Tab-separated table of all heavy atoms in Angstrom:
chain	number	residue	atom	x	y	z
Y	699	LEU	N	0.643	8.040	20.651
Y	699	LEU	CA	1.121	7.373	19.430
Y	699	LEU	C	0.236	7.753	18.287
Y	699	LEU	O	-0.733	8.532	18.433
Y	699	LEU	CB	1.136	5.813	19.626
Y	699	LEU	CG	-0.257	5.064	19.534
Y	699	LEU	CD1	0.042	3.578	19.430
Y	699	LEU	CD2	-1.120	5.382	20.679
Y	700	ASN	N	0.525	7.173	17.103
Y	700	ASN	CA	-0.402	7.359	15.981
Y	700	ASN	C	-0.426	6.076	15.169
Y	700	ASN	O	0.601	5.524	14.752
Y	700	ASN	CB	0.108	8.498	15.030
Y	700	ASN	CG	-0.972	8.896	13.997
Y	700	ASN	OD1	-1.152	8.124	13.057
Y	700	ASN	ND2	-1.593	10.011	14.197
Y	701	TRP	N	-1.615	5.522	14.947
Y	701	TRP	CA	-1.816	4.291	14.283
Y	701	TRP	C	-1.233	4.303	12.862
Y	701	TRP	O	-0.556	3.368	12.437
Y	701	TRP	CB	-3.320	3.948	14.263
Y	701	TRP	CG	-3.742	2.867	13.345
Y	701	TRP	CD1	-3.614	1.532	13.555
Y	701	TRP	CD2	-4.354	2.951	12.070
Y	701	TRP	NE1	-4.165	0.812	12.529
Y	701	TRP	CE2	-4.636	1.662	11.608
Y	701	TRP	CE3	-4.765	4.068	11.277
Y	701	TRP	CZ2	-5.223	1.424	10.379
Y	701	TRP	CZ3	-5.377	3.844	10.074
Y	701	TRP	CH2	-5.581	2.558	9.614
Y	702	ALA	N	-1.494	5.327	12.115
Y	702	ALA	CA	-1.065	5.418	10.724
Y	702	ALA	C	0.485	5.397	10.595
Y	702	ALA	O	1.007	4.817	9.593
Y	702	ALA	CB	-1.617	6.743	10.073
Y	703	GLN	N	1.192	5.971	11.572
Y	703	GLN	CA	2.614	5.893	11.527
Y	703	GLN	C	3.116	4.514	11.528
Y	703	GLN	O	4.097	4.152	10.847
Y	703	GLN	CB	3.184	6.681	12.734
Y	703	GLN	CG	4.690	6.708	12.784
Y	703	GLN	CD	5.189	7.435	14.028
Y	703	GLN	OE1	4.425	7.932	14.803
Y	703	GLN	NE2	6.472	7.558	14.178
Y	704	HIS	N	2.473	3.619	12.287
Y	704	HIS	CA	2.899	2.204	12.370
Y	704	HIS	C	2.573	1.397	11.115
Y	704	HIS	O	3.240	0.410	10.816
Y	704	HIS	CB	2.320	1.588	13.609
Y	704	HIS	CG	2.810	2.121	14.892
Y	704	HIS	ND1	2.307	3.197	15.469
Y	704	HIS	CD2	3.851	1.691	15.673
Y	704	HIS	CE1	2.985	3.505	16.583
Y	704	HIS	NE2	3.912	2.538	16.748
Y	705	LEU	N	1.575	1.881	10.343
Y	705	LEU	CA	1.288	1.171	9.096
Y	705	LEU	C	2.207	1.560	7.959
Y	705	LEU	O	2.376	0.775	6.999
Y	705	LEU	CB	-0.198	1.489	8.678
Y	705	LEU	CG	-1.201	0.446	9.181
Y	705	LEU	CD1	-1.394	0.546	10.676
Y	705	LEU	CD2	-2.506	0.596	8.445
Y	706	LEU	N	2.868	2.721	8.067
Y	706	LEU	CA	3.613	3.227	6.967
Y	706	LEU	C	5.120	3.176	7.167
Y	706	LEU	O	5.908	3.692	6.419
Y	706	LEU	CB	3.192	4.649	6.600
Y	706	LEU	CG	1.759	4.806	6.034
Y	706	LEU	CD1	1.388	6.264	5.892
Y	706	LEU	CD2	1.670	4.087	4.715
Y	707	ARG	N	5.543	2.580	8.265
Y	707	ARG	CA	7.006	2.606	8.573
Y	707	ARG	C	7.737	1.398	8.053
Y	707	ARG	O	8.971	1.416	8.010
Y	707	ARG	CB	7.237	2.805	10.078
Y	707	ARG	CG	6.922	1.590	10.900
Y	707	ARG	CD	7.056	1.781	12.389
Y	707	ARG	NE	6.950	0.513	13.078
Y	707	ARG	CZ	7.090	0.345	14.429
Y	707	ARG	NH1	7.247	1.435	15.171
Y	707	ARG	NH2	6.926	-0.846	14.957
Y	708	ALA	N	7.074	0.294	7.681
Y	708	ALA	CA	7.794	-0.973	7.523
Y	708	ALA	C	8.251	-1.235	6.054
Y	708	ALA	O	9.377	-1.674	5.850
Y	708	ALA	CB	6.910	-2.153	8.006
Y	709	GLY	N	7.398	-0.975	5.121
Y	709	GLY	CA	7.705	-1.398	3.733
Y	709	GLY	C	8.815	-0.549	3.115
Y	709	GLY	O	8.872	0.649	3.280
Y	710	ALA	N	9.675	-1.252	2.317
Y	710	ALA	CA	10.712	-0.525	1.525
Y	710	ALA	C	10.057	0.368	0.506
Y	710	ALA	O	8.932	0.128	0.064
Y	710	ALA	CB	11.591	-1.545	0.866
Y	711	GLU	N	10.800	1.451	0.140
Y	711	GLU	CA	10.191	2.452	-0.767
Y	711	GLU	C	9.658	1.802	-2.019
Y	711	GLU	O	8.562	2.191	-2.497
Y	711	GLU	CB	11.262	3.484	-1.112
Y	711	GLU	CG	11.463	4.523	-0.047
Y	711	GLU	CD	10.298	5.505	0.065
Y	711	GLU	OE1	10.097	6.288	-0.875
Y	711	GLU	OE2	9.629	5.491	1.146
Y	712	ASP	N	10.410	0.883	-2.632
Y	712	ASP	CA	9.982	0.323	-3.927
Y	712	ASP	C	9.169	-1.022	-3.763
Y	712	ASP	O	8.839	-1.683	-4.749
Y	712	ASP	CB	11.198	0.055	-4.810
Y	712	ASP	CG	12.205	-0.898	-4.175
Y	712	ASP	OD1	12.036	-1.245	-2.983
Y	712	ASP	OD2	13.144	-1.307	-4.875
Y	713	ALA	N	8.842	-1.390	-2.528
Y	713	ALA	CA	8.043	-2.608	-2.335
Y	713	ALA	C	6.599	-2.365	-2.536
Y	713	ALA	O	6.128	-1.241	-2.234
Y	713	ALA	CB	8.253	-3.101	-0.839
Y	714	THR	N	5.835	-3.280	-3.027
Y	714	THR	CA	4.391	-3.088	-3.319
Y	714	THR	C	3.643	-3.034	-2.007
Y	714	THR	O	3.752	-3.911	-1.140
Y	714	THR	CB	3.906	-4.243	-4.204
Y	714	THR	OG1	4.664	-4.258	-5.404
Y	714	THR	CG2	2.424	-4.091	-4.520
Y	715	ALA	N	2.795	-2.024	-1.874
Y	715	ALA	CA	1.935	-1.912	-0.810
Y	715	ALA	C	0.486	-2.266	-1.100
Y	715	ALA	O	-0.177	-2.943	-0.352
Y	715	ALA	CB	1.974	-0.445	-0.218
Y	716	LEU	N	-0.005	-1.826	-2.247
Y	716	LEU	CA	-1.354	-2.043	-2.669
Y	716	LEU	C	-1.425	-2.623	-4.088
Y	716	LEU	O	-0.692	-2.151	-4.972
Y	716	LEU	CB	-2.208	-0.769	-2.677
Y	716	LEU	CG	-2.168	0.052	-1.363
Y	716	LEU	CD1	-2.995	1.302	-1.588
Y	716	LEU	CD2	-2.711	-0.740	-0.176
Y	717	VAL	N	-2.194	-3.693	-4.297
Y	717	VAL	CA	-2.468	-4.207	-5.624
Y	717	VAL	C	-4.020	-4.068	-5.793
Y	717	VAL	O	-4.800	-4.747	-5.083
Y	717	VAL	CB	-2.096	-5.744	-5.728
Y	717	VAL	CG1	-2.348	-6.237	-7.120
Y	717	VAL	CG2	-0.631	-5.864	-5.365
Y	718	CYS	N	-4.402	-3.270	-6.736
Y	718	CYS	CA	-5.847	-2.875	-6.835
Y	718	CYS	C	-6.416	-3.491	-8.159
Y	718	CYS	O	-5.925	-3.174	-9.251
Y	718	CYS	CB	-5.988	-1.351	-6.808
Y	718	CYS	SG	-5.058	-0.504	-5.477
Y	719	LEU	N	-7.465	-4.188	-8.002
Y	719	LEU	CA	-8.166	-4.781	-9.182
Y	719	LEU	C	-9.666	-4.522	-9.054
Y	719	LEU	O	-10.171	-4.266	-7.968
Y	719	LEU	CB	-7.960	-6.294	-9.281
Y	719	LEU	CG	-6.494	-6.797	-9.312
Y	719	LEU	CD1	-6.057	-7.172	-7.951
Y	719	LEU	CD2	-6.415	-7.998	-10.275
Y	720	GLN	N	-10.333	-4.629	-10.196
Y	720	GLN	CA	-11.789	-4.528	-10.135
Y	720	GLN	C	-12.443	-5.617	-10.941
Y	720	GLN	O	-11.812	-6.256	-11.834
Y	720	GLN	CB	-12.229	-3.155	-10.709
Y	720	GLN	CG	-11.949	-2.913	-12.137
Y	720	GLN	CD	-12.171	-1.484	-12.573
Y	720	GLN	OE1	-11.759	-0.553	-11.888
Y	720	GLN	NE2	-12.918	-1.310	-13.651
Y	721	GLU	N	-13.698	-5.827	-10.683
Y	721	GLU	CA	-14.458	-6.855	-11.396
Y	721	GLU	C	-14.372	-6.656	-12.913
Y	721	GLU	O	-14.370	-5.562	-13.439
Y	721	GLU	CB	-15.916	-6.793	-10.970
Y	721	GLU	CG	-16.834	-7.824	-11.560
Y	721	GLU	CD	-18.305	-7.574	-11.160
Y	721	GLU	OE1	-18.643	-7.709	-9.966
Y	721	GLU	OE2	-19.032	-7.177	-12.028
Y	722	GLY	N	-14.221	-7.781	-13.620
Y	722	GLY	CA	-14.111	-7.680	-15.068
Y	722	GLY	C	-12.732	-7.726	-15.624
Y	722	GLY	O	-12.553	-7.640	-16.841
Y	723	GLY	N	-11.722	-7.826	-14.691
Y	723	GLY	CA	-10.377	-7.910	-15.196
Y	723	GLY	C	-9.760	-6.548	-15.474
Y	723	GLY	O	-10.057	-5.549	-14.755
Y	724	GLY	N	-8.901	-6.460	-16.417
Y	724	GLY	CA	-8.148	-5.222	-16.654
Y	724	GLY	C	-6.899	-5.197	-15.898
Y	724	GLY	O	-6.647	-6.001	-14.975
Y	725	PRO	N	-5.995	-4.236	-16.199
Y	725	PRO	CA	-4.724	-4.198	-15.534
Y	725	PRO	C	-4.843	-3.827	-14.058
Y	725	PRO	O	-5.691	-3.057	-13.663
Y	725	PRO	CB	-3.961	-3.076	-16.344
Y	725	PRO	CG	-5.084	-2.215	-16.889
Y	725	PRO	CD	-6.163	-3.172	-17.181
Y	726	ALA	N	-3.974	-4.409	-13.256
Y	726	ALA	CA	-3.912	-4.136	-11.858
Y	726	ALA	C	-3.180	-2.781	-11.625
Y	726	ALA	O	-2.220	-2.474	-12.356
Y	726	ALA	CB	-3.274	-5.253	-11.052
Y	727	ARG	N	-3.603	-2.043	-10.682
Y	727	ARG	CA	-2.893	-0.804	-10.271
Y	727	ARG	C	-1.975	-1.154	-9.069
Y	727	ARG	O	-2.560	-1.543	-8.005
Y	727	ARG	CB	-3.899	0.297	-9.908
Y	727	ARG	CG	-4.898	0.618	-10.971
Y	727	ARG	CD	-5.845	1.769	-10.605
Y	727	ARG	NE	-6.678	1.484	-9.442
Y	727	ARG	CZ	-7.739	0.748	-9.456
Y	727	ARG	NH1	-8.174	0.182	-10.558
Y	727	ARG	NH2	-8.434	0.603	-8.330
Y	728	GLN	N	-0.712	-1.030	-9.194
Y	728	GLN	CA	0.186	-1.395	-8.130
Y	728	GLN	C	0.825	-0.082	-7.548
Y	728	GLN	O	1.263	0.769	-8.271
Y	728	GLN	CB	1.322	-2.321	-8.637
Y	728	GLN	CG	0.773	-3.672	-9.073
Y	728	GLN	CD	1.763	-4.798	-8.949
Y	728	GLN	OE1	2.707	-4.706	-8.085
Y	728	GLN	NE2	1.608	-5.814	-9.695
Y	729	ILE	N	0.749	0.024	-6.269
Y	729	ILE	CA	1.159	1.241	-5.550
Y	729	ILE	C	2.221	0.803	-4.573
Y	729	ILE	O	2.020	-0.027	-3.726
Y	729	ILE	CB	0.016	1.959	-4.872
Y	729	ILE	CG1	-1.009	2.427	-5.859
Y	729	ILE	CG2	0.500	3.137	-4.006
Y	729	ILE	CD1	-2.311	2.984	-5.237
Y	730	THR	N	3.425	1.378	-4.693
Y	730	THR	CA	4.552	1.010	-3.773
Y	730	THR	C	4.279	1.733	-2.415
Y	730	THR	O	3.555	2.667	-2.279
Y	730	THR	CB	5.862	1.516	-4.354
Y	730	THR	OG1	5.905	2.919	-4.450
Y	730	THR	CG2	6.086	0.862	-5.705
Y	731	PHE	N	5.061	1.262	-1.437
Y	731	PHE	CA	5.064	1.945	-0.170
Y	731	PHE	C	5.534	3.408	-0.267
Y	731	PHE	O	4.980	4.322	0.407
Y	731	PHE	CB	5.943	1.194	0.869
Y	731	PHE	CG	5.189	0.084	1.654
Y	731	PHE	CD1	5.229	-1.194	1.156
Y	731	PHE	CD2	4.415	0.382	2.738
Y	731	PHE	CE1	4.519	-2.188	1.799
Y	731	PHE	CE2	3.747	-0.608	3.429
Y	731	PHE	CZ	3.856	-1.899	2.999
Y	732	GLY	N	6.458	3.638	-1.148
Y	732	GLY	CA	6.923	5.025	-1.353
Y	732	GLY	C	5.804	5.900	-1.868
Y	732	GLY	O	5.616	7.015	-1.401
């Protein structure tokens, strides 16, 4: 099997996978599953 395959198979293409923020505020970087 492959672990990474199981992490990337579920989310819809346009669904958010990662919301990235850093200390001090600023805009969030949103990355979809696609």
Side-chain angles (χ1 to χ4, degrees):
L699 78 167
N700 190 287
W701 169 78
Q703 180 180 2
H704 291 85
L705 268 71
L706 292 174
R707 71 181 188 180
E711 281 288 294
D712 59 351
T714 300
L716 308 177
V717 182
C718 311
L719 305 94
Q720 67 190 46
E721 181 185 293
R727 304 182 300 279
Q728 296 209 24
I729 298 173
T730 64
F731 272 95

